[in-house]
């Protein structure tokens, strides 16, 4: 559903899809950890639109989707206080991968 709405959905709707996908990965495939769940809760409480576990290592990284740089700064600090060893903020999207 999120893929179909990528260009029309609001940021908060896309964040909700992220969180639902995270919950499916956590509950269905057990791809999360107590630390990631603490980071998830902290990110959402701090204002993130959504949170999702990412990567292929069984729960080593998470991504939070935020409305603005100010919110991202707050979320980043909250995630670090919840146990994130390090956070990064990507404030501007790139064009992504392409063929040369």
């Amino acid at each position: 559903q999120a893929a179909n709405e990528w260009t029309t959905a609001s940021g908060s709707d896309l964040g909700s899809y992220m969180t639902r996908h995270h919950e499916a990965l956590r509950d269905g495939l057990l791809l999360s950890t107590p630390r990631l769940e603490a980071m998830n809760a902290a990110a959402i409480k701090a204002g993130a639109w959504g949170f999702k576990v990412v990567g292929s290592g069984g729960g080593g990284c998470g991504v939070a989707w935020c409305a603005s740089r100010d919110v991202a700064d707050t979320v980043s600090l909250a995630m670090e206080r919840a146990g994130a060893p390090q956070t990064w903020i990507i404030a501007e999207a790139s064009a992504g991968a392409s063929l040369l």
Side-chain angles (χ1 to χ4, degrees), residues 35-92:
R35 180 185 292 180
L36 279 167
E37 290 309 307
M39 291 164 44
N40 177 4
I44 298 300
K45 184 176 180 181
W49 280 334
F51 178 92
K52 181 182 169 306
V53 63
V54 297
S56 61
C61 297
V63 171
W65 182 274
C66 301
S68 68
R69 176 61 191 249
D70 289 341
V71 174
D73 288 337
T74 301
V75 168
S76 176
L77 182 59
M79 290 175 66
E80 288 175 357
R81 288 180 176 159
Q86 189 169 6
T87 61
W88 297 268
I89 296 173
I90 301 172
E92 188 174 321

